[in-house]
PDB file of all heavy atoms in Angstrom:
ATOM      1  N   LEU N   1      84.749  85.613 102.130  1.00  0.00           N
ATOM      2  CA  LEU N   1      85.997  85.946 101.683  1.00  0.00           C
ATOM      3  C   LEU N   1      86.956  85.759 102.872  1.00  0.00           C
ATOM      4  O   LEU N   1      86.821  86.231 103.933  1.00  0.00           O
ATOM      5  CB  LEU N   1      86.011  87.406 101.213  1.00  0.00           C
ATOM      6  CG  LEU N   1      87.366  87.963 100.434  1.00  0.00           C
ATOM      7  CD1 LEU N   1      87.497  87.158  99.234  1.00  0.00           C
ATOM      8  CD2 LEU N   1      87.200  89.351 100.178  1.00  0.00           C
ATOM      9  N   GLN N   2      88.000  84.960 102.590  1.00  0.00           N
ATOM     10  CA  GLN N   2      88.962  84.658 103.632  1.00  0.00           C
ATOM     11  C   GLN N   2      90.374  84.908 103.153  1.00  0.00           C
ATOM     12  O   GLN N   2      90.587  84.504 101.964  1.00  0.00           O
ATOM     13  CB  GLN N   2      88.799  83.306 104.288  1.00  0.00           C
ATOM     14  CG  GLN N   2      88.816  82.276 103.457  1.00  0.00           C
ATOM     15  CD  GLN N   2      88.556  80.950 104.282  1.00  0.00           C
ATOM     16  OE1 GLN N   2      89.285  80.603 105.086  1.00  0.00           O
ATOM     17  NE2 GLN N   2      87.434  80.178 103.923  1.00  0.00           N
ATOM     18  N   ASN N   3      91.204  85.391 103.876  1.00  0.00           N
ATOM     19  CA  ASN N   3      92.668  85.589 103.559  1.00  0.00           C
ATOM     20  C   ASN N   3      93.495  84.309 103.752  1.00  0.00           C
ATOM     21  O   ASN N   3      93.289  83.651 104.750  1.00  0.00           O
ATOM     22  CB  ASN N   3      93.319  86.757 104.315  1.00  0.00           C
ATOM     23  CG  ASN N   3      94.519  87.236 103.755  1.00  0.00           C
ATOM     24  OD1 ASN N   3      94.977  86.760 102.732  1.00  0.00           O
ATOM     25  ND2 ASN N   3      95.072  88.145 104.325  1.00  0.00           N
ATOM     26  N   TYR N   4      94.283  84.055 102.759  1.00  0.00           N
ATOM     27  CA  TYR N   4      95.221  82.874 102.769  1.00  0.00           C
ATOM     28  C   TYR N   4      96.618  83.449 102.884  1.00  0.00           C
ATOM     29  O   TYR N   4      96.899  84.457 102.262  1.00  0.00           O
ATOM     30  CB  TYR N   4      95.006  81.969 101.633  1.00  0.00           C
ATOM     31  CG  TYR N   4      93.610  81.451 101.499  1.00  0.00           C
ATOM     32  CD1 TYR N   4      92.683  81.914 100.572  1.00  0.00           C
ATOM     33  CD2 TYR N   4      93.284  80.173 102.181  1.00  0.00           C
ATOM     34  CE1 TYR N   4      91.372  81.362 100.463  1.00  0.00           C
ATOM     35  CE2 TYR N   4      92.017  79.697 102.102  1.00  0.00           C
ATOM     36  CZ  TYR N   4      91.123  80.265 101.217  1.00  0.00           C
ATOM     37  OH  TYR N   4      89.828  79.685 101.080  1.00  0.00           O
ATOM     38  N   SER N   5      97.470  82.784 103.628  1.00  0.00           N
ATOM     39  CA  SER N   5      98.928  83.330 103.802  1.00  0.00           C
ATOM     40  C   SER N   5      99.607  83.422 102.359  1.00  0.00           C
ATOM     41  O   SER N   5     100.417  84.252 102.357  1.00  0.00           O
ATOM     42  CB  SER N   5      99.666  82.420 104.661  1.00  0.00           C
ATOM     43  OG  SER N   5      99.807  81.058 104.164  1.00  0.00           O
ATOM     44  N   ALA N   6      99.258  82.706 101.444  1.00  0.00           N
ATOM     45  CA  ALA N   6     100.012  82.727 100.061  1.00  0.00           C
ATOM     46  C   ALA N   6      99.218  83.551  98.974  1.00  0.00           C
ATOM     47  O   ALA N   6      99.559  83.542  97.929  1.00  0.00           O
ATOM     48  CB  ALA N   6     100.107  81.398  99.621  1.00  0.00           C
ATOM     49  N   SER N   7      98.215  84.383  99.610  1.00  0.00           N
ATOM     50  CA  SER N   7      97.470  85.201  98.620  1.00  0.00           C
ATOM     51  C   SER N   7      98.357  86.359  98.040  1.00  0.00           C
ATOM     52  O   SER N   7      99.334  86.739  98.720  1.00  0.00           O
ATOM     53  CB  SER N   7      96.275  85.788  99.246  1.00  0.00           C
ATOM     54  OG  SER N   7      95.363  84.828  99.770  1.00  0.00           O
ATOM     55  N   LEU N   8      98.109  86.803  96.771  1.00  0.00           N
ATOM     56  CA  LEU N   8      98.701  87.745  96.197  1.00  0.00           C
ATOM     57  C   LEU N   8      97.945  89.038  95.853  1.00  0.00           C
ATOM     58  O   LEU N   8      96.679  88.857  95.750  1.00  0.00           O
ATOM     59  CB  LEU N   8      99.457  87.249  94.853  1.00  0.00           C
ATOM     60  CG  LEU N   8     100.317  86.036  95.003  1.00  0.00           C
ATOM     61  CD1 LEU N   8     100.773  85.525  93.695  1.00  0.00           C
ATOM     62  CD2 LEU N   8     101.576  86.439  95.792  1.00  0.00           C
ATOM     63  N   VAL N   9      98.456  90.130  95.803  1.00  0.00           N
ATOM     64  CA  VAL N   9      97.822  91.341  95.473  1.00  0.00           C
ATOM     65  C   VAL N   9      98.571  92.067  94.255  1.00  0.00           C
ATOM     66  O   VAL N   9      99.798  92.091  94.197  1.00  0.00           O
ATOM     67  CB  VAL N   9      97.590  92.241  96.721  1.00  0.00           C
ATOM     68  CG1 VAL N   9      98.977  92.725  97.246  1.00  0.00           C
ATOM     69  CG2 VAL N   9      96.737  93.478  96.323  1.00  0.00           C
ATOM     70  N   ALA N  10      97.844  92.696  93.463  1.00  0.00           N
ATOM     71  CA  ALA N  10      98.446  93.549  92.397  1.00  0.00           C
ATOM     72  C   ALA N  10      97.808  94.914  92.432  1.00  0.00           C
ATOM     73  O   ALA N  10      96.508  94.947  92.774  1.00  0.00           O
ATOM     74  CB  ALA N  10      98.335  92.945  91.072  1.00  0.00           C
ATOM     75  N   ILE N  11      98.381  96.019  92.188  1.00  0.00           N
ATOM     76  CA  ILE N  11      97.914  97.299  92.119  1.00  0.00           C
ATOM     77  C   ILE N  11      98.258  97.958  90.745  1.00  0.00           C
ATOM     78  O   ILE N  11      99.366  97.999  90.337  1.00  0.00           O
ATOM     79  CB  ILE N  11      98.320  98.234  93.333  1.00  0.00           C
ATOM     80  CG1 ILE N  11      98.032  97.572  94.653  1.00  0.00           C
ATOM     81  CG2 ILE N  11      97.789  99.580  93.244  1.00  0.00           C
ATOM     82  CD1 ILE N  11      98.641  98.213  95.886  1.00  0.00           C
ATOM     83  N   ASN N  12      97.099  98.312  90.131  1.00  0.00           N
ATOM     84  CA  ASN N  12      97.389  98.886  88.764  1.00  0.00           C
ATOM     85  C   ASN N  12      98.236  98.005  87.854  1.00  0.00           C
ATOM     86  O   ASN N  12      99.115  98.305  87.165  1.00  0.00           O
ATOM     87  CB  ASN N  12      97.966 100.224  88.821  1.00  0.00           C
ATOM     88  CG  ASN N  12      97.045 101.163  89.521  1.00  0.00           C
ATOM     89  OD1 ASN N  12      95.829 101.084  89.583  1.00  0.00           O
ATOM     90  ND2 ASN N  12      97.666 102.040  90.379  1.00  0.00           N
ATOM     91  N   ASP N  13      97.856  96.750  87.843  1.00  0.00           N
ATOM     92  CA  ASP N  13      98.435  95.551  86.998  1.00  0.00           C
ATOM     93  C   ASP N  13      99.874  95.273  87.354  1.00  0.00           C
ATOM     94  O   ASP N  13     100.578  94.698  86.521  1.00  0.00           O
ATOM     95  CB  ASP N  13      98.204  95.813  85.553  1.00  0.00           C
ATOM     96  CG  ASP N  13      96.830  95.836  85.181  1.00  0.00           C
ATOM     97  OD1 ASP N  13      96.091  94.941  85.693  1.00  0.00           O
ATOM     98  OD2 ASP N  13      96.365  96.631  84.274  1.00  0.00           O
ATOM     99  N   GLU N  14     100.402  95.636  88.578  1.00  0.00           N
ATOM    100  CA  GLU N  14     101.739  95.381  88.942  1.00  0.00           C
ATOM    101  C   GLU N  14     101.727  94.655  90.337  1.00  0.00           C
ATOM    102  O   GLU N  14     101.003  95.144  91.160  1.00  0.00           O
ATOM    103  CB  GLU N  14     102.549  96.570  89.067  1.00  0.00           C
ATOM    104  CG  GLU N  14     102.862  97.183  87.740  1.00  0.00           C
ATOM    105  CD  GLU N  14     104.000  98.307  87.835  1.00  0.00           C
ATOM    106  OE1 GLU N  14     104.761  98.262  88.661  1.00  0.00           O
ATOM    107  OE2 GLU N  14     103.908  99.073  86.934  1.00  0.00           O
ATOM    108  N   MET N  15     102.332  93.506  90.433  1.00  0.00           N
ATOM    109  CA  MET N  15     102.290  92.853  91.698  1.00  0.00           C
ATOM    110  C   MET N  15     102.821  93.766  92.823  1.00  0.00           C
ATOM    111  O   MET N  15     103.826  94.617  92.624  1.00  0.00           O
ATOM    112  CB  MET N  15     103.161  91.491  91.555  1.00  0.00           C
ATOM    113  CG  MET N  15     102.821  90.509  90.647  1.00  0.00           C
ATOM    114  SD  MET N  15     100.940  90.108  90.856  1.00  0.00           S
ATOM    115  CE  MET N  15     100.903  89.230  92.303  1.00  0.00           C
ATOM    116  N   ALA N  16     102.271  93.664  93.893  1.00  0.00           N
ATOM    117  CA  ALA N  16     102.561  94.606  95.110  1.00  0.00           C
ATOM    118  C   ALA N  16     102.538  93.918  96.372  1.00  0.00           C
ATOM    119  O   ALA N  16     102.267  92.660  96.495  1.00  0.00           O
ATOM    120  CB  ALA N  16     101.495  95.775  95.096  1.00  0.00           C
ATOM    121  N   GLU N  17     103.044  94.689  97.456  1.00  0.00           N
ATOM    122  CA  GLU N  17     103.263  94.133  98.733  1.00  0.00           C
ATOM    123  C   GLU N  17     101.845  94.545  99.456  1.00  0.00           C
ATOM    124  O   GLU N  17     101.164  95.394  98.893  1.00  0.00           O
ATOM    125  CB  GLU N  17     104.309  94.650  99.453  1.00  0.00           C
ATOM    126  CG  GLU N  17     105.717  94.354  98.958  1.00  0.00           C
ATOM    127  CD  GLU N  17     106.015  92.845  99.006  1.00  0.00           C
ATOM    128  OE1 GLU N  17     105.673  92.223  99.979  1.00  0.00           O
ATOM    129  OE2 GLU N  17     106.689  92.353  97.956  1.00  0.00           O
ATOM    130  N   TRP N  18     101.366  93.736 100.459  1.00  0.00           N
ATOM    131  CA  TRP N  18     100.281  94.040 101.176  1.00  0.00           C
ATOM    132  C   TRP N  18     100.315  95.232 101.831  1.00  0.00           C
ATOM    133  O   TRP N  18      99.147  95.958 102.150  1.00  0.00           O
ATOM    134  CB  TRP N  18      99.967  92.823 102.082  1.00  0.00           C
ATOM    135  CG  TRP N  18      99.437  91.656 101.322  1.00  0.00           C
ATOM    136  CD1 TRP N  18     100.121  90.512 100.904  1.00  0.00           C
ATOM    137  CD2 TRP N  18      98.160  91.370 100.797  1.00  0.00           C
ATOM    138  NE1 TRP N  18      99.509  89.705 100.325  1.00  0.00           N
ATOM    139  CE2 TRP N  18      98.139  90.198 100.161  1.00  0.00           C
ATOM    140  CE3 TRP N  18      97.010  92.120 100.890  1.00  0.00           C
ATOM    141  CZ2 TRP N  18      96.995  89.682  99.458  1.00  0.00           C
ATOM    142  CZ3 TRP N  18      95.853  91.579 100.235  1.00  0.00           C
ATOM    143  CH2 TRP N  18      95.776  90.302  99.601  1.00  0.00           C
ATOM    144  N   ASP N  19     101.401  95.897 102.215  1.00  0.00           N
ATOM    145  CA  ASP N  19     101.393  97.115 102.897  1.00  0.00           C
ATOM    146  C   ASP N  19     101.549  98.356 101.807  1.00  0.00           C
ATOM    147  O   ASP N  19     101.801  99.401 102.422  1.00  0.00           O
ATOM    148  CB  ASP N  19     102.648  97.148 103.958  1.00  0.00           C
ATOM    149  CG  ASP N  19     103.975  97.041 103.359  1.00  0.00           C
ATOM    150  OD1 ASP N  19     104.066  96.715 102.117  1.00  0.00           O
ATOM    151  OD2 ASP N  19     104.912  97.170 104.123  1.00  0.00           O
ATOM    152  N   THR N  20     101.355  98.195 100.601  1.00  0.00           N
ATOM    153  CA  THR N  20     101.508  99.123  99.631  1.00  0.00           C
ATOM    154  C   THR N  20     100.409 100.067  99.843  1.00  0.00           C
ATOM    155  O   THR N  20      99.169  99.791 100.035  1.00  0.00           O
ATOM    156  CB  THR N  20     101.402  98.588  98.292  1.00  0.00           C
ATOM    157  OG1 THR N  20     102.508  97.658  97.919  1.00  0.00           O
ATOM    158  CG2 THR N  20     101.557  99.716  97.244  1.00  0.00           C
ATOM    159  N   GLU N  21     100.685 101.463  99.863  1.00  0.00           N
ATOM    160  CA  GLU N  21      99.768 102.513 100.045  1.00  0.00           C
ATOM    161  C   GLU N  21      98.815 102.689  98.881  1.00  0.00           C
ATOM    162  O   GLU N  21      99.271 102.630  97.643  1.00  0.00           O
ATOM    163  CB  GLU N  21     100.438 103.890 100.274  1.00  0.00           C
ATOM    164  CG  GLU N  21      99.570 104.975 100.639  1.00  0.00           C
ATOM    165  CD  GLU N  21     100.387 106.271 101.008  1.00  0.00           C
ATOM    166  OE1 GLU N  21     101.520 106.149 101.471  1.00  0.00           O
ATOM    167  OE2 GLU N  21      99.913 107.354 100.660  1.00  0.00           O
ATOM    168  N   LEU N  22      97.573 102.905  99.123  1.00  0.00           N
ATOM    169  CA  LEU N  22      96.548 103.006  98.018  1.00  0.00           C
ATOM    170  C   LEU N  22      96.361 104.581  97.747  1.00  0.00           C
ATOM    171  O   LEU N  22      96.586 105.243  98.646  1.00  0.00           O
ATOM    172  CB  LEU N  22      95.331 102.325  98.470  1.00  0.00           C
ATOM    173  CG  LEU N  22      95.370 100.816  98.660  1.00  0.00           C
ATOM    174  CD1 LEU N  22      93.952 100.470  99.140  1.00  0.00           C
ATOM    175  CD2 LEU N  22      95.693 100.227  97.506  1.00  0.00           C
ATOM    176  N   ARG N  23      95.949 104.685  96.476  1.00  0.00           N
ATOM    177  CA  ARG N  23      95.709 106.136  95.947  1.00  0.00           C
ATOM    178  C   ARG N  23      94.430 106.073  95.327  1.00  0.00           C
ATOM    179  O   ARG N  23      93.923 105.088  94.751  1.00  0.00           O
ATOM    180  CB  ARG N  23      96.884 106.631  95.047  1.00  0.00           C
ATOM    181  CG  ARG N  23      98.188 106.654  95.809  1.00  0.00           C
ATOM    182  CD  ARG N  23      99.275 107.039  94.818  1.00  0.00           C
ATOM    183  NE  ARG N  23     100.532 106.943  95.476  1.00  0.00           N
ATOM    184  CZ  ARG N  23     101.425 107.923  95.548  1.00  0.00           C
ATOM    185  NH1 ARG N  23     101.121 109.048  94.852  1.00  0.00           N
ATOM    186  NH2 ARG N  23     102.605 107.816  96.134  1.00  0.00           N
ATOM    187  N   GLU N  24      93.779 107.172  95.241  1.00  0.00           N
ATOM    188  CA  GLU N  24      92.546 107.429  94.554  1.00  0.00           C
ATOM    189  C   GLU N  24      92.480 106.684  93.205  1.00  0.00           C
ATOM    190  O   GLU N  24      93.479 106.963  92.451  1.00  0.00           O
ATOM    191  CB  GLU N  24      92.225 108.902  94.508  1.00  0.00           C
ATOM    192  CG  GLU N  24      90.846 109.267  93.764  1.00  0.00           C
ATOM    193  CD  GLU N  24      89.596 109.140  94.742  1.00  0.00           C
ATOM    194  OE1 GLU N  24      89.815 109.210  96.056  1.00  0.00           O
ATOM    195  OE2 GLU N  24      88.593 108.886  94.287  1.00  0.00           O
ATOM    196  N   HIS N  25      91.513 106.030  92.898  1.00  0.00           N
ATOM    197  CA  HIS N  25      91.383 105.379  91.634  1.00  0.00           C
ATOM    198  C   HIS N  25      92.213 104.286  91.288  1.00  0.00           C
ATOM    199  O   HIS N  25      92.341 103.720  90.144  1.00  0.00           O
ATOM    200  CB  HIS N  25      91.311 106.312  90.432  1.00  0.00           C
ATOM    201  CG  HIS N  25      90.207 107.444  90.651  1.00  0.00           C
ATOM    202  ND1 HIS N  25      88.866 107.183  90.612  1.00  0.00           N
ATOM    203  CD2 HIS N  25      90.400 108.800  90.864  1.00  0.00           C
ATOM    204  CE1 HIS N  25      88.189 108.350  90.885  1.00  0.00           C
ATOM    205  NE2 HIS N  25      89.039 109.331  90.972  1.00  0.00           N
ATOM    206  N   ASP N  26      92.918 103.765  92.278  1.00  0.00           N
ATOM    207  CA  ASP N  26      93.782 102.475  92.108  1.00  0.00           C
ATOM    208  C   ASP N  26      92.883 101.376  91.579  1.00  0.00           C
ATOM    209  O   ASP N  26      91.721 101.339  92.088  1.00  0.00           O
ATOM    210  CB  ASP N  26      94.537 102.126  93.286  1.00  0.00           C
ATOM    211  CG  ASP N  26      95.817 102.867  93.490  1.00  0.00           C
ATOM    212  OD1 ASP N  26      96.353 103.533  92.408  1.00  0.00           O
ATOM    213  OD2 ASP N  26      96.429 102.797  94.485  1.00  0.00           O
TER     214      ASP N  26
END
C-alpha cells in the first residue's frame, strides 16, 4: 500500500481532509 499525492479519503461517507480527527467506530 502506498500513498499517492492525489489520493482521497472519506469518513462516514463524506469526503474529508487527511487531517480530520477520527472517532470511535468511524
Side-chain angles (χ1 to χ4, degrees):
L1 187 64
Q2 55 181 297
N3 195 3
Y4 299 98
S5 61
S7 298
L8 300 173
V9 62
I11 300 174
N12 302 322
D13 293 324
E14 292 189 23
M15 298 311 291
E17 298 296 324
W18 285 97
D19 61 354
T20 301
E21 184 177 327
L22 299 177
R23 296 175 187 231
E24 182 82 22
H25 303 296
D26 276 347

